[in-house]
Amino acid sequence: PPSFIVRVPHGYSDPEQIRADLLAGGLEAVSIDRLVLPGTATSAGTVAEGFALGSPLRFALQERGRLDELTDRLAEEMTALLGEGPLEEVNTAWVVVARRLSDRTPIG
């Protein structure tokens, strides 16, 4: 199965890994704050379309068959699992402010 979900962007969620990556790049984290916002979608089908057509999943699907057919199948499966109606979820992001180690000037 496609592995982009656990890689990027959804898998980059460990603040300590972010901090380590910043240091490896010559930056120091000033702050790493978790931002949580509500999200809604009109249906599971629209979520499936968003992933299938607007994310790296698109390229993995294209390698496996016709994109339109696979998108429809994905929408059907997600609707079967999540139901016909609108969906509500929580969206989480990490907001990072960092500065160069050499001059301590914030850049984020």
Side-chain angles (χ1 to χ4, degrees):
S3 63
F4 101 93
I5 295 275
V6 295
R7 288 183 293 120
V8 178
H10 304 87
Y12 198 58
S13 59
D14 179 0
E16 292 309 311
Q17 182 64 55
I18 294 169
R19 190 178 311 282
D21 290 345
L22 289 168
L23 282 172
L27 301 171
E28 174 185 32
V30 173
S31 62
I32 300 177
D33 298 310
R34 186 173 181 237
L35 176 65
V36 178
L37 299 170
T40 59
T42 57
S43 69
T46 60
V47 173
E49 286 179 6
F51 274 108
L53 303 176
S55 77
L57 180 60
R58 176 187 190 116
F59 307 109
L61 290 174
Q62 286 175 317
E63 292 173 355
R64 289 164 171 78
R66 290 193 44 189
L67 184 59
D68 58 340
E69 291 174 1
L70 292 171
T71 301
D72 289 345
R73 284 182 49 203
L74 182 60
E76 289 170 9
E77 290 290 327
M78 288 183 69
T79 300
L81 290 170
L82 301 172
E84 293 282 339
L87 303 175
E88 294 183 13
E89 65 170 326
V90 174
N91 295 300
T92 303
W94 293 99
V95 179
V96 177
V97 175
R99 63 179 154 220
R100 290 183 193 97
L101 288 171
S102 60
D103 64 14
R104 307 262 186 221
T105 303
I107 61 170

